[in-house]
């Protein structure tokens, strides 16, 4: 097998991807980068599913299909919202629009 | 027995049924039709209560069922009717019925009688339910119902700002007490395992739990009673509640709401006795009586004087309970209900005919309203405790019982308060009915017959009740020993006579002027001190504003400065209110929200790691 | 621990992820994002899951990236250096990583041998057990399409 | 899952999916649209009610027990009323049918969520419920709704990501997504705890528990109130039940160690919600923060998970909550539509202008405050009793204090409506058939009072459920 690694290494990979995604979501102020970050988080979960599925049974892999589909839908929805937001405010930085608060 | 159970349920139900049908009939047909429904309902309710009273044998009526069960958890409900509840129900339905009749005249200009009678019947029904239920949860439900109706009725003229605020105040203040009561119920339920009055009392008589626990429960429940019965320090709402219609005041003061607190303490008397809470009851009662009696001396509005006197008499009942003489307390409750209803309704007639609430702007009304004046005088005599009238018998008994109890503080305060009745009572009567007629008095005429009939009924009762004293006491409590001290009786009557003389000289003969006394700063100060009810209201407001509000604000401020903001801009805005800072977490920045989210997750993980 | 290929892939995945977030030019970021997704597909291939890898490539590297590129073309992005918040983000994400790794080493999770599932098994289980959820996904898609249509038309009319 | 229940969700979702098509073909008016979707709701409601009979399908993924039947029926009724009100207030909007379609599909997701007993079906049902609302939030198409949409989307995406990660970890530990398998195979383990936290974070987003609640008030305030009613009433209630199933059926082994944490979160959520609600001038924000506080009350019951009464607390609070919060937001929506009333100042004297509507609003507010005859009271009793039963008296006391606090702002709205002089002179949208809109609200008020007195259906359902999870 090409990728010979034990489960801890794989978990390290997915946790790293999760951490990078969280880092991106919290530090990037532009909506497109935030979308990238969201996709990374969901991919981290997907990686987990695939790895455990390879060790256990086929259910995880099938759930990963659905997750990919959901993530794609989420990306589409996100982009729709982002575009509407941009068209209205001329701005891709949501932190600047803070009318709803307190 | 089975029949009586159903009649009891019917008695509670008929008022709620009547209230709804009064509302609907008044709404969809002629408005005043609701009056006839109300009268019919009140009468049937009263007759049913009488039936229960007559058929009540040695054994109380008991019926139990579970509202619902869930495994071992169940909420029991049920009724328990003994002579005490039946007497309370008689007072509520009887005086309530007279009050409904009287309202026909008093509320003649009103535009929404269906709303009025709906709320009124609901009020009476809640009170009847309150005295018939067998456990604390049922009592709490009706207790809240009574509170809700008083809120609605005090704010009946809701377009008047003062009325609306008074209603809110009454609601909030009684609710404040209720929170403690609810806590008490929960504690009793969890730690003692029962909320049934009889079982609680039986546990207390058997000494099945520690005195400290009993004291805690009793005091928590007593705070609820204090709020409902307007005792120190939760009484200011009672004065403001005078903004409602006078008939409502009569109902609240004589028949229903304020009696609930006394009833609750009487119902749980063995429990309070076992847990040494009665001494607290006695002290609170004595202090309240003193505050109220002195306050009544300083006030000038008819209804507020009467309100203070209600508070005083309720306090006397609490004193009676506190010194261990439940019979005196309940007997006084009954007498007080009758003469206070008489006084309030008569005052209602005066106010309705003159459109003036300030006693000192009236005068010489005797000439225009002789029957009302005489009926009012009967009420005053009963209130003051002058011998042939019913107030004398119970009040003297309370003073005697207090004397026998032997605590000088309680006795002193109670004695002073009790004798002061005659002073403020006659002060009120002289000012309103004698002297030169004022502008307002000259338009007055005698009250309508429909208003006078209830007054006559009540006046006759004040004289008749003493003849049946023995039977009533026997019905209520069986054999009771009444302490009797001849010296004390003579002393009481003498002091009362002297006080009457002073009042007579000041307000009737007007040979002594109070103007000079009031002009002096000290006299003015004392007057204002008494007038404002010893500034308890102001103190409550101050405590709310400075202690609670201030301390919370400070606590949040501290957290904000040291935790949230660091030393960046903390110290500048100390005076901002608490939420004004707290809400700053909600920055409106989506990235901040995401940061909080992740930080929350990590905190939870760390908590798992270390906890 | 893994062999050298695993660590190479690890480096590429995390590196491209970081570049996708940090690159100054949005276009390079998008390219890097495609690289990241393709590397993950490579992991799937490496785990003997060709179908999953194919789907990943098709949907992500195909669909999503094209959507993103489309959005980039519509919006564009002038890159500004992020200010202030980065420290919090780094601390939080590092904490997350450290805790996760720490927990995974503490955990009693066991390494089982990797198995290979044939495509027939995959297809059979999918059709027999999970086919219902495609209907559900269909409903999501239809609702999203309706709402997107409403919003886009509204936008056009608002102009 | 019972075949009837499945049919109910499918009928609902299909009606939703075909409504815009019908509109495109025949150009239906608002009333016709309301009728068509009402038919969908009625059929679906009927199917839910008879779903204790009939054969079972998809048993691996969904279960039909009394809880899902009860909550399903109530969620359907609430959603139906939301639909009617939305048709009434947005009749002029060309895309109201699309909005209703998304609403019905989202409700179908809620129905699936409350019956899911498998993490696959749970995640997908949750997405079905949530995904349409991401775009529905934008429907008002004003600045606030765009801002709300962005906040909602990113928070939601983060929550979903964490939840999927948690689910994948659980799958890694046991090799199964089924609750019944998980409950047998799970053991106390750091990764399981981590997964539980992640899954809780995903639900915490949905039910607005304390550190995850920040999006809530902004979104409920920013979007149009009809959508807010869906978000805060229906989908939150469904999420309560979903979380309940996860906690009691899937991870009870680890959940027992979380009671203290849950209690702390509950206390914080209540306090934050109530404190911040006190500060608001806008009625929608007050309602939004009170919704946060109510999540705290429910979490009190979750914290007491060692006693069977907590099940009753959760279910009862969800039952009461789905009506009172939805209806409160709908009342707000009607006031907003007819009078343009947003802030407390606008509400002055509205009790005189709209006596019946204001009376209904008062009923819902009192129920939220926990005043006796309404269901809100009894649910609080259950919740706090459960806390005391589980030995967390302090938590019950915090809850009681909080609910005493919260009375202040509910009463404040009532005071504005009844005791002040009106500021708004004339309505901005005076519809001639105004009284029709009182009907759905009155239905909810009646149900609220009925469930406040007649407690047996809920208690029975929860007893069955408690027996099922082994108390």
């Amino acid at each position: 097998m090409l990728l010979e690694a034990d489960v801890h290494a794989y978990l390290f990979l997915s946790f790293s991807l999760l951490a990078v995604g969280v880092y991106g979501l919290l530090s990037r102020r532009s909506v497109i980068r935030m979308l990238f970050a969201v996709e990374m988080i969901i991919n981290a979960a997907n990686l987990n599913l695939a790895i455990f599925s390879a060790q256990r049974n086929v259910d995880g892999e099938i759930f990963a299909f659905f997750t990919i589909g959901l993530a794609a839908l989420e990306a589409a929805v996100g982009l729709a919202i982002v575009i509407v937001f941009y068209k209205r405010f001329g701005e891709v930085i949501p932190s600047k629009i803070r009318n709803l608060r307190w | 027995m089975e029949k009586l159970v159903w009649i009891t349920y019917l008695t509670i139900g008929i008022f709620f049924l009547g209230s709804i049908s009064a509302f609907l009939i008044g709404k969809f047909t002629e408005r005043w039709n609701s009056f006839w429904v109300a009268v019919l309902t009140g009468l049937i309710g009263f007759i049913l209560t009488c039936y229960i009273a007559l058929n009540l044998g040695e054994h109380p009526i008991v019926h139990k069922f579970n509202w619902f069960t869930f495994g071992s958890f169940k909420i029991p409900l049920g009724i328990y009717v003994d002579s005490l509840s039946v007497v309370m129900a008689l007072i509520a339905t009887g005086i309530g019925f007279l009050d409904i009749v009287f309202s026909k005249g008093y509320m003649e200009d009103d535009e929404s009688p269906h709303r009025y009678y709906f709320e009124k019947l609901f009020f009476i029904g809640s009170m009847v339910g309150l005295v018939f239920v067998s456990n604390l949860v049922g009592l709490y439900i009706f207790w809240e119902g009574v509170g809700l109706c008083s809120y609605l009725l005090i704010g009946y003229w809701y377009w008047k700002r003062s009325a609306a605020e008074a209603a809110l105040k009454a609601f909030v203040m009684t609710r404040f007490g209720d929170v403690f009561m609810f806590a008490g119920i929960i504690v009793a339920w969890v730690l003692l395992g029962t909320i049934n009055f009889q079982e609680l009392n039986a546990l207390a008589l058997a000494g099945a739990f520690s005195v400290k626990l009993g004291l805690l429960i009793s005091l928590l429940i007593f705070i609820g009673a204090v709020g409902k019965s307007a005792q120190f320090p939760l009484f200011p709402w009672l004065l403001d509640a005078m903004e409602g219609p006078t008939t409502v005041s009569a109902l609240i003061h004589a028949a229903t709401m304020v009696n609930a607190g006394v009833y609750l303490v009487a119902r749980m008397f063995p429990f309070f006795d076992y847990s040494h809470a009665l001494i607290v009851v006695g002290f609170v009662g004595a202090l309240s009586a003193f505050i109220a009696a002195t306050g009544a001396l300083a006030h000038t509005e008819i209804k507020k004087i009467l309100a203070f006197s209600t508070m005083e008499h309720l306090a006397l009942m609490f004193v009676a309970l506190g010194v261990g003489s439940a019979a005196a307390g309940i007997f006084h409750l009954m007498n007080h209900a009758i003469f206070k209803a008489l006084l309030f309704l008569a005052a209602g007639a005066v106010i309705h005919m003159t459109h003036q609430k300030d006693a000192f702007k009236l005068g010489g009304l005797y000439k225009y309203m002789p029957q009302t004046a005489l009926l009012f005088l009967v009420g005053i005599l009963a209130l003051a405790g002058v011998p042939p009238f019913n107030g004398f018998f119970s009040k003297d008994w309370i003073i005697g019982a207090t004397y026998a109890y032997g605590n000088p503080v309680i006795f002193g305060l109670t004695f002073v308060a009790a004798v002061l009745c005659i002073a403020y009572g006659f002060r009120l009567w002289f000012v309103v009915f004698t002297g030169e007629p004022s502008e307002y008095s000259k338009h007055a005429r005698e009250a309508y017959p429909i208003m006078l009939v209830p007054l006559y009924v009540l006046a006759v009762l004040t004289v008749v009740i003493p003849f049946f004293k023995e039977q009533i006491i026997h019905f209520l409590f069986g054999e009771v020993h009444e302490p009797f001290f001849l010296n004390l009786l003579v002393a009481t009557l003498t002091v009362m006579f002297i006080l009457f003389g002073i009042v007579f000289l000041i307000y009737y003969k007007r040979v002594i002027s109070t103007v000079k006394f009031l002009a002096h700063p000290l006299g003015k100060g004392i007057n204002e001190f008494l007038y404002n009810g010893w500034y308890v209201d102001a103190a409550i407001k101050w405590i709310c504003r400075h202690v609670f509000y201030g301390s919370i604000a400070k606590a949040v401020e501290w957290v904000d400065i040291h935790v949230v903001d660091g030393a960046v801009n903390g110290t500048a805005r100390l005076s901002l209110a608490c939420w004004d800072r707290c809400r700053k977490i909600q920055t409106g920045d989506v990235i901040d929200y995401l940061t909080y989210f992740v930080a929350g997750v990590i905190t939870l993980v760390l908590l798992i790691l270390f906890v | 621990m893994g062999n050298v290929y695993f660590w190479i892939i690890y480096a590429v995945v995390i590196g491209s992820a970081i570049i996708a977030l940090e690159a100054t030019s949005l276009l390079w970021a998008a390219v890097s994002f495609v690289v990241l997704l393709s590397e993950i597909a490579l992991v799937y291939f490496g785990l003997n899951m060709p179908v999953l890898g194919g789907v990943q490539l098709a949907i992500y590297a195909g669909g999503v990236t094209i959507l993103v590129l489309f959005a980039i073309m519509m919006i564009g992005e002038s890159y500004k250096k992020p200010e202030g918040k980065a420290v919090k983000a780094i601390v939080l994400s590092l904490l997350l990583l450290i805790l996760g790794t720490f927990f995974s080493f503490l955990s009693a999770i066991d390494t089982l041998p990797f198995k290979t599932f044939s495509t027939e098994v995959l297809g059979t289980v999918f059709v027999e057990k999970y086919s219902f959820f495609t209907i559900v996904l269909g409903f999501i898609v239809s609702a999203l399409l309706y709402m997107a249509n409403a919003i886009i038309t509204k936008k056009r009319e608002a102009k | 899952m019972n075949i009837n229940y499945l049919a109910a969700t499918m009928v609902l979702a299909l009606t939703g999916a075909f409504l815009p098509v019908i509109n495109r073909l025949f150009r239906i008016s608002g009333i016709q649209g309301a009728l068509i979707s009402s038919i969908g709701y009625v059929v679906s409601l009927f199917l839910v009610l008879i779903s204790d009979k009939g054969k079972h399908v998809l048993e691996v993924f969904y279960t039909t027990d009394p809880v899902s039947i009860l909550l399903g029926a109530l969620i359907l009724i609430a959603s139906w009323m939301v639909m009617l009100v939305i048709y009434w207030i947005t009749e002029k909007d060309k895309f109201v049918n699309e909005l209703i379609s998304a609403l019905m599909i989202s409700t179908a997701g809620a129905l699936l969520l409350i019956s899911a007993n498998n993490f696959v079906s749970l995640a997908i049902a949750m997405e079905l419920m949530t995904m349409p609302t991401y775009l529905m939030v934008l429907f008002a198409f004003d600045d606030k709704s765009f801002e709300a949409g962005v906040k909602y989307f990113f928070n939601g995406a983060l929550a979903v990501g964490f939840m999927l990660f948690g689910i994948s970890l659980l799958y890694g530990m046991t090799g199964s997504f089924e609750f019944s398998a998980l409950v047998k195979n799970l053991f106390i383990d750091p990764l399981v705890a981590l997964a539980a936290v992640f899954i809780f974070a995903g639900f915490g987003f949905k039910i607005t528990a304390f550190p995850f609640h920040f999006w809530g008030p902004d979104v409920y305030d920013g979007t149009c109130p009809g959508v807010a009613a869906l978000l805060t009433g229906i989908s939150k209630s469904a999420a309560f039940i979903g979380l309940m199933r996860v906690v009691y059926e899937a991870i009870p082994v680890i959940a027992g160690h979380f009671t203290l944490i849950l209690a702390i979160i509950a206390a914080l959520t209540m306090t934050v919600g109530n404190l911040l609600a006190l500060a608001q001038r806008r009625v929608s924000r007050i309602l939004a923060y009170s919704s946060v506080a109510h999540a705290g009350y429910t979490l009190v019951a979750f914290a007491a998970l060692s006693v069977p009464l907590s099940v009753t607390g959760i279910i009862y609070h969800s039952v009461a909550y789905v009506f009172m919060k939805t209806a409160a937001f709908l009342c707000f929506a009607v006031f907003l539509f007819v009078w343009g009333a947003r802030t407390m100042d606008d509400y002055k004297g509205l009790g005189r202008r709209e006596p019946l509507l204001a009376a209904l609003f008062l009923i819902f507010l009192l129920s939220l405050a926990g005043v006796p005859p309404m269901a809100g009271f009894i649910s609080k009793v259950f919740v706090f009793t459960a806390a005391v039963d589980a030995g967390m008296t302090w938590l019950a006391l915090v809850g009681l204090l909080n609910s005493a606090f919260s009375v202040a702002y509910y009463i404040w709205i009532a005071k504005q409506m009844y005791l002040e002089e009106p500021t708004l002179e004339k309505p901005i949208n005076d519809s001639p058939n105004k009284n029709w809109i009182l009907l759905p609200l009155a239905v909810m008020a009646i149900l609220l009072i009925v469930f406040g007195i007649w407690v047996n259906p809920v208690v029975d359902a929860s007893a069955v459920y408690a027996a099922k999870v082994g108390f």
Side-chain angles (χ1 to χ4, degrees), chain B residues 67-70 73 158 161 164 168 182 190 579 582-583 585-586 588 590 593-594 596-597 600-601 604-605 608, chain D residues 151 194 197-198 212 214 218 258 261 276 279 289 309 312 378 382 385 388 411 419 453 455-456 459 462-463:
Chain B
W67 188 11
F68 57 84
T69 50
F70 175 70
F73 175 82
Y158 56 83
R161 200 181 169 74
L168 198 66
F182 190 70
V190 172
W579 35 259
C582 204
R583 63 184 187 171
I585 321 170
Q586 194 88 16
V590 59
Y593 294 177
L594 298 173
Y596 296 143
F597 191 106
V601 170
L604 289 185
V605 174
I608 296 168
Chain D
K151 283 178 186 171
L194 193 68
V197 170
F198 280 7
F212 319 118
F214 288 93
D218 290 1
F258 277 80
I261 294 171
L276 293 190
Y289 277 114
L309 198 57
T312 319
I378 201 87
F382 273 117
T385 320
V388 173
I411 286 285
L419 308 179
I453 296 164
V455 294
N456 285 337
V459 171
S462 65

Side-chain angles (χ1 to χ4, degrees), chain B residues 340-404:
Chain B
K340 190 46 65 71
L342 172 60
L343 279 172
F344 259 111
L345 295 182
V350 170
I351 292 168
H352 187 62
M353 292 303 161
T354 58
H355 301 294
Q356 176 55 259
K357 284 198 282 188
D358 193 335
F360 281 77
K361 289 184 181 162
L362 296 168
L365 266 182
Y366 186 81
K367 214 189 304 177
Y368 304 98
M369 309 175 75
Q371 296 188 50
T372 313
L374 283 175
L375 291 163
F376 206 109
L377 185 62
V378 171
I380 294 283
L381 288 170
L383 170 86
V386 176
F389 297 98
N390 61 358
F392 166 75
F393 294 92
S394 51
K395 203 199 268 179
D396 190 58
W397 188 355
I398 291 175
I399 294 174
T402 322
Y403 185 67

Side-chain angles (χ1 to χ4, degrees), chain B residues 89-257:
Chain B
L90 276 176
I91 293 170
T93 51
I95 293 178
F97 171 65
L98 294 176
D99 195 69
I100 287 169
V101 174
F102 182 88
S103 302
K104 175 83 168 85
Y106 185 80
M107 302 298 284
E108 59 179 346
D109 305 325
D110 197 68
E111 283 173 1
S112 49
H114 57 293
R115 185 160 67 88
Y116 177 79
Y117 283 114
F118 166 69
E119 289 166 5
K120 204 142 197 175
L121 286 173
F122 207 91
F123 202 2
I124 300 171
S126 300
M127 187 66 194
V128 173
L130 195 154
V131 298
F132 279 166
V133 291
S134 67
N135 66 28
L136 276 166
V137 166
L139 182 123
Y140 186 78
I141 292 169
F142 286 112
W143 186 272
E144 289 296 329
V146 170
L148 182 70
C149 289
S150 73
Y151 169 72
L152 291 172
L153 281 169
I154 292 170
Y156 182 71
W157 290 319
Y158 56 83
W159 53 88
K160 273 166 57 183
R161 200 181 169 74
S162 55
E165 278 173 1
L168 198 66
K169 193 170 185 178
F171 194 65
V172 170
M173 240 179 220
T174 51
R175 278 286 307 191
F176 180 77
D178 295 351
V179 171
F180 288 93
M181 182 170 149
F182 190 70
I185 295 173
I186 296 285
V187 173
W189 203 350
V190 172
L191 296 182
L192 300 184
T194 179
I195 42 167
N196 189 296
F197 293 124
Q198 307 313 315
E199 289 170 16
L200 283 175
N201 288 341
L203 282 179
L205 290 175
F209 52 92
S210 74
V211 173
K212 272 185 194 161
L213 176 62
L215 189 62
L216 173 72
I217 296 169
S218 312
L219 287 185
L220 284 172
I221 289 177
F222 182 60
I223 293 174
V226 161
K228 220 47 155 195
S229 290
Q231 297 298 296
F232 177 82
L234 295 177
F235 64 83
W237 68 267
L238 190 70
L239 298 176
D240 292 4
M242 292 299 120
E243 291 296 337
T246 310
T247 47
V248 170
S249 308
L251 200 61
I252 290 177
H253 285 230
T256 53
M257 179 160 161

Side-chain angles (χ1 to χ4, degrees), chain C:
Chain C
M1 284 290 122
N3 61 9
V4 64
Y5 299 106
F6 174 80
W7 290 110
I8 291 172
I9 285 192
Y10 176 89
V12 174
V13 165
I14 300 303
S16 60
I18 291 174
I19 291 172
L21 297 170
E22 292 288 348
T24 321
S25 156
L26 194 49
L27 199 66
W28 283 116
V31 170
S32 182
F33 185 55
V34 178
V35 171
L36 162 69
L37 298 171
S38 317
E39 285 299 319
I40 291 173
L42 195 61
V43 176
Y44 296 156
F45 286 124
L47 290 169
N48 287 338
M49 295 178 173
V51 184
L52 188 59
V55 169
Q56 167 89 3
L57 273 182
I59 290 186
Y60 268 117
V64 173
T65 314
I66 286 171
L67 267 177
V68 169
L69 282 177
F70 184 65
I72 290 171
M73 279 195 286
M74 276 184 82
I75 295 174
E77 188 193 45
S78 55
Y79 185 76
K80 294 188 195 85
K81 208 70 183 136
E83 38 189 90
K85 300 247 162 77
V87 180
K88 272 186 213 167
I90 290 171
V91 169
L92 286 177
S93 55
L94 275 183
L95 262 176
L96 204 58
L97 173 62
I98 292 166
L99 279 175
T101 321
F102 180 53
F103 274 29
S104 74
F105 279 107
L106 280 186
S107 154
I109 189 166
D110 39 355
T111 303
L112 303 172
F114 287 101
K115 297 180 206 162
T116 308
F117 301 104
S118 69
T119 314
E120 287 84 54
V121 173
L122 187 68
T124 318
V125 174
F126 186 90
V127 171
E128 283 180 356
K129 200 171 167 190
Y130 287 90
S131 53
F132 170 68
F133 294 106
T134 53
I135 306 174
V136 179
L137 281 185
F139 281 125
I140 300 183
V141 171
S142 70
L144 288 184
L145 283 180
Y146 288 142
M147 286 312 294
N149 173 34
I151 284 164
I152 288 167
T153 321
K154 273 192 169 183
K155 193 172 77 185
R156 199 183 302 136
E157 285 172 358
K159 274 184 185 167

Side-chain angles (χ1 to χ4, degrees), chain B residues 403-450:
Chain B
Y403 185 67
Y405 186 66
N407 186 318
V409 180
I410 292 180
F411 172 70
L413 291 173
T414 314
F415 182 79
V416 173
V419 294
L420 276 177
C421 287
I422 196 164
Y424 65 72
F426 273 99
R427 171 174 174 266
L428 175 64
W429 195 81
F430 285 141
V431 166
V432 174
F433 291 102
T434 65
E436 283 300 305
S438 74
E439 269 305 299
Y440 300 101
S441 310
K442 283 177 184 161
H443 306 297
R445 59 188 185 81
E446 190 52 76
Y448 311 121
I450 197 163

Side-chain angles (χ1 to χ4, degrees), chain B residues 292-535:
Chain B
T294 48
L297 272 179
H299 256 279
T300 56
E301 258 183 48
I302 304 177
K303 288 177 69 181
K304 292 208 170 165
I305 293 173
L306 291 179
F308 262 131
S309 97
T310 304
M311 178 182 155
E312 184 212 324
H313 283 269
L314 288 164
L316 289 181
M317 295 166 211
F318 275 121
V319 169
L321 293 167
V323 300
S325 179
I330 297 303
F331 187 50
H332 192 58
L333 189 154
M334 184 178 163
N335 290 336
H336 168 258
I338 291 166
F339 66 69
K340 190 46 65 71
L342 172 60
L343 279 172
F344 259 111
L345 295 182
V350 170
I351 292 168
H352 187 62
M353 292 303 161
T354 58
H355 301 294
Q356 176 55 259
K357 284 198 282 188
D358 193 335
F360 281 77
K361 289 184 181 162
L362 296 168
L365 266 182
Y366 186 81
K367 214 189 304 177
Y368 304 98
M369 309 175 75
Q371 296 188 50
T372 313
L374 283 175
L375 291 163
F376 206 109
L377 185 62
V378 171
I380 294 283
L381 288 170
L383 170 86
V386 176
F389 297 98
N390 61 358
F392 166 75
F393 294 92
S394 51
K395 203 199 268 179
D396 190 58
W397 188 355
I398 291 175
I399 294 174
T402 322
Y403 185 67
Y405 186 66
N407 186 318
V409 180
I410 292 180
F411 172 70
L413 291 173
T414 314
F415 182 79
V416 173
V419 294
L420 276 177
C421 287
I422 196 164
Y424 65 72
F426 273 99
R427 171 174 174 266
L428 175 64
W429 195 81
F430 285 141
V431 166
V432 174
F433 291 102
T434 65
E436 283 300 305
S438 74
E439 269 305 299
Y440 300 101
S441 310
K442 283 177 184 161
H443 306 297
R445 59 188 185 81
E446 190 52 76
Y448 311 121
I450 197 163
M451 294 162 85
L452 284 174
V453 169
L455 293 182
Y456 275 112
V457 173
L458 289 166
V460 169
L461 277 177
T462 59
V463 187
V464 170
I465 290 285
F467 291 109
F468 298 100
K469 180 182 171 186
E470 293 303 319
Q471 283 94 320
I472 292 168
I473 297 297
H474 187 80
F475 178 65
L476 274 169
F477 292 99
E479 292 306 319
V480 175
H481 165 69
E482 181 181 349
F484 181 74
F485 305 97
L486 189 63
N487 305 346
L488 187 64
L489 179 62
V490 174
T492 314
L493 289 176
T494 319
V495 175
M496 275 166 62
F497 188 71
I498 294 168
L499 282 172
F500 173 74
I502 295 172
V503 170
F504 185 73
L505 289 179
I506 298 178
Y507 293 102
Y508 185 69
K509 287 289 183 192
R510 313 209 178 210
V511 289
I512 306 174
S513 168
T514 53
V515 175
K516 205 181 273 177
F517 175 69
L518 289 180
H520 191 273
L522 184 65
K524 192 164 167 241
I526 292 175
N527 187 48
E528 278 189 0
F529 182 67
L530 298 178
Y531 185 90
N532 287 315
W534 291 31
Y535 290 112

Side-chain angles (χ1 to χ4, degrees), chain A residues 3 8 14 23-24 31 35 45 52 58 62 66 70 72 75-76 79-80 86-87 90-93 97 102:
Chain A
L3 295 172
H8 295 107
S14 59
Y23 160 73
V31 271
L35 271 177
F52 294 134
V58 80
I62 295 173
F66 290 114
L70 290 175
L79 283 170
Y86 173 74
K87 289 282 175 189
E91 184 75 74
V92 287
I93 300 179
I97 314 297
W102 296 343

